[in-house]
Amino acid sequence: MEKQKIIAIVGLNASGKTQYVEKMRRTMASDSVRYIAFCDTYGAATDRAYYLQQRWNQHDIDSETPLTGEALERTFTLTGDDTPQRRQWQQELYTLFNFHPLLSKYVITLSSGELRKLQLIKTLLAQPSTLILDNPFIGLDEQTRQQLNELLPRLSKEKHLTIYLVIARLEDIPAYVDDFIWTTPRQQWQSASAVGGFPANPASVVGGFPANPASVVGGFPANPASVVGGFPANPASVVGGFPADKSSPAPNAPEVVRFNNVTIRYGDRTILNNLDWTIRQGECWALTGPNGSGKSTLLSLICADNPQAYACDIRLFGRQRGSGETIWDIKRRIGYVSPEMHRSYRHNIPAIQVVASGIRDTVGLYTRVSDADRKQCRKWMQVFGIDDLEQRPFLTLSSGEQRLALLARAFVKEPELIILDEPLHGLDTLRCQQVRQIIQSYSERPATTLIMVTHYPHELPPCFNRIKRL
């Protein structure tokens, strides 16, 4: 039998990709259609029990908390389809994604990348005829992205599966895509090429666009700036007047973070082993490593989210951890955005209140916003091009717009340390370029220290000249 098609649904943030997929799913309406949204959520089954620090509070695990292997076995129980062929397919998937070591882990302890693997395996075990993957490559390390790119054409051919890939970045479009549904006109990408980083004619890279993409999805705005616009032309002019060239921090600059022989274990699993790391004021560090290597655990120790920090030799801002400071003393000096933050932010409050919660270091906003704070929030919403979304409820925003609001939240109090854990998740090519420019501009402030996690080396702004690999 001839293989089914692999189709890319491509568009800028807030161009209507999600709405198009929802309409398509309603039209298809079948048990054989499966949809996975890789937008930093655990999924409805576990969101009810999730809160920001749950992953680090292992004492919360009880008899009702499922192991990863148990969660996957329930797939067989629910479908009643426990055949040798399906069991063989299960083992093939485990091997492909190197998943056997994760079966004995609790679901809430999985990293963002590991969660995505779990979602993929659960969905593929259901043996759908149509698979829709929304942002399939975010949060996956290079090896896993390569595995997925090898798997999808094989699924299409051998399992007779039609696959839709919802994609916001041109560079994420695989070469094996057969057809395109374009929710943003090509000329908008062409106008975006002035920002740098993509060709004047995207079709020359990805090929095969329909002659009139508007005829496929319809309703495009006549003015590309209405979608592409929003960011200031020169972020530094809004963020602050920084020098054009920031010199390297002095070798004797004050320490912001010091880890001395830090080890983190959960049961018989060692997450971090004898880790030493010193970060000085003014330095910009890239933190790298494969899915599950401990990057987010390490950051949780800095952000005061992980209770094991008290048992370790850790100094933050020159002070020994556990010497009398509160977690709020630490958090007020740190701006933070991460997949965990995005996942836990389920408060449907106006976007400006989401940004304002960064001033109070809370998830949600529980105090009144002063006029001065509101002015500061508007400034940073303007920097990130979302000032027109001020009163929009957070959960009505697109995933990319939500990420921009959470980025503004991280910067709003202009802290001395900013931690960016995969900050460009879900952003289209243009907005990735613009956010990189904002981060670069902010790094040029005196005494500003940054840590950034990414699985894409090209996402790192030039200021990140130090690397810590796990």
Side-chain angles (χ1 to χ4, degrees):
M1 182 183 293
E2 183 181 356
K3 74 160 187 162
Q4 301 300 304
K5 279 190 173 183
I6 300 178
I7 303 163
I9 301 174
V10 187
L12 301 173
N13 292 140
S15 65
K17 297 186 300 295
T18 299
Q19 290 88 338
Y20 181 82
V21 168
E22 289 175 353
K23 182 178 180 180
M24 184 173 68
R25 290 173 66 193
R26 288 194 300 269
T27 302
M28 292 177 169
S30 169
D31 291 340
S32 64
V33 177
R34 290 289 185 273
Y35 171 72
I36 306 177
F38 292 96
C39 50
D40 296 324
T41 66
Y42 272 116
T46 51
D47 276 347
R48 290 190 299 273
Y50 185 81
Y51 60 94
L52 183 58
Q53 289 95 353
Q54 186 175 33
R55 183 169 158 197
W56 321 121
N57 286 270
Q58 298 289 301
H59 60 266
D60 289 344
I61 291 174
D62 56 30
S63 60
E64 300 299 317
T65 306
L67 294 171
T68 301
E70 293 172 348
L72 287 167
E73 284 299 312
R74 290 175 187 172
T75 304
F76 289 88
T77 303
L78 290 172
T79 61
D81 182 18
D82 192 353
T83 62
Q85 293 81 2
R86 196 154 175 256
R87 286 292 180 181
Q88 181 180 351
W89 177 230
Q90 174 194 34
Q91 294 305 312
E92 288 180 28
L93 290 171
Y94 289 176
T95 300
L96 178 68
F97 288 114
N98 192 27
F99 211 73
H100 284 100
L102 305 182
L103 297 176
S104 59
K105 291 179 66 173
Y106 289 102
V107 171
I108 66 168
T109 68
L110 297 180
S111 71
S112 296
E114 291 167 344
L115 281 166
R116 283 159 173 75
K117 293 181 184 182
L118 172 63
Q119 286 182 287
L120 275 168
I121 292 172
K122 283 179 65 176
T123 301
L124 292 173
L125 283 175
Q127 297 180 307
S129 63
T130 299
L131 179 62
I132 304 170
L133 301 177
D134 197 334
N135 280 315
F137 303 107
I138 67 170
L140 297 180
D141 58 41
E142 184 177 1
Q143 180 181 6
T144 306
R145 293 198 305 271
Q146 182 179 345
Q147 291 169 340
L148 185 58
N149 276 320
E150 292 172 354
L151 175 66
L152 293 178
R154 176 185 161 195
L155 287 173
S156 179
K157 181 178 180 180
E158 297 180 7
K159 303 293 182 180
H160 315 305
L161 186 62
T162 298
I163 301 172
Y164 291 87
L165 306 177
V166 184
I167 294 174
R169 303 189 200 183
L170 287 175
E171 59 268 34
D172 285 345
I173 302 175
Y176 50 76
V177 166
D178 300 304
D179 207 350
F180 295 85
I181 296 172
W182 195 245
T183 64
T184 304
R186 281 176 289 173
Q187 58 265 35
Q188 289 192 10
W189 288 103
Q190 292 165 345
S191 67
S193 66
V195 178
F198 23 87
N201 179 15
S204 65
V205 176
V206 295
F209 295 124
N212 180 15
S215 65
V216 180
V217 291
F220 299 134
N223 179 14
S226 65
V227 174
V228 175
F231 286 87
N234 178 15
S237 66
V238 181
V239 176
F242 309 135
D245 181 25
K246 175 182 154 183
S247 59
S248 298
N252 61 348
E255 291 179 1
V256 176
V257 178
R258 176 183 282 274
F259 286 76
N260 293 313
N261 199 31
V262 169
T263 296
I264 298 294
R265 292 190 179 91
Y266 294 116
D268 58 356
R269 291 187 303 110
T270 300
I271 309 300
L272 299 173
N273 189 32
N274 300 327
L275 176 73
D276 295 312
W277 191 19
T278 300
I279 302 172
R280 295 188 176 275
Q281 188 179 82
E283 294 180 343
C284 297
W285 282 84
L287 178 60
T288 69
N291 295 138
S293 61
K295 300 183 297 298
S296 294
T297 299
L298 189 159
L299 297 181
S300 74
L301 296 168
I302 300 174
C303 295
D305 289 331
N306 194 321
Q308 289 208 36
Y310 294 103
C312 299
D313 186 359
I314 298 174
R315 297 183 68 86
L316 300 179
F317 305 104
R319 186 170 180 176
Q320 185 70 34
R321 188 76 169 90
S323 60
E325 83 290 3
T326 69
I327 62 170
W328 307 112
D329 293 331
I330 297 170
K331 286 179 178 293
R332 67 181 174 81
R333 307 177 73 172
I334 299 174
Y336 177 52
V337 67
S338 72
E340 276 75 23
M341 171 64 68
H342 198 159
R343 181 179 304 128
S344 65
Y345 221 109
R346 312 311 298 163
H347 299 267
N348 202 25
I349 57 179
I352 192 169
Q353 293 188 25
V354 172
V355 177
S357 70
I359 299 173
R360 303 286 184 264
D361 300 308
T362 57
V363 177
L365 188 65
Y366 307 102
T367 59
R368 186 172 180 176
V369 181
S370 69
D371 290 341
D373 286 347
R374 192 173 295 275
K375 181 178 179 181
Q376 181 73 354
C377 292
R378 285 174 174 151
K379 166 189 169 180
W380 280 98
M381 292 183 79
Q382 180 187 358
V383 169
F384 284 98
I386 55 171
D387 45 314
D388 60 327
L389 304 177
E390 177 179 322
Q391 294 304 320
R392 281 272 303 277
F394 182 71
L395 299 184
T396 69
L397 303 179
S398 72
S399 179
E401 290 169 334
Q402 289 179 0
R403 181 51 56 100
L404 292 171
L406 292 174
L407 279 163
R409 179 189 183 278
F411 283 82
V412 68
K413 62 187 176 187
E414 302 182 12
E416 55 199 281
L417 171 62
I418 290 191
I419 297 175
L420 305 166
D421 188 351
E422 302 191 81
L424 306 185
H425 268 194
L427 298 183
D428 60 45
T429 308
L430 171 65
R431 283 165 177 80
C432 284
Q433 293 283 352
Q434 292 166 321
V435 171
R436 286 179 73 250
Q437 187 179 355
I438 292 167
I439 295 169
Q440 178 67 26
S441 295
Y442 193 86
S443 76
E444 293 164 3
R445 296 172 59 123
T448 295
T449 307
L450 289 94
I451 304 171
M452 180 168 167
V453 175
T454 180
H455 291 297
Y456 295 84
H458 69 270
E459 289 185 346
L460 291 167
C463 60
F464 288 89
N465 55 9
R466 292 170 170 81
I467 299 177
K468 182 68 174 179
R469 292 185 176 87
L470 297 184

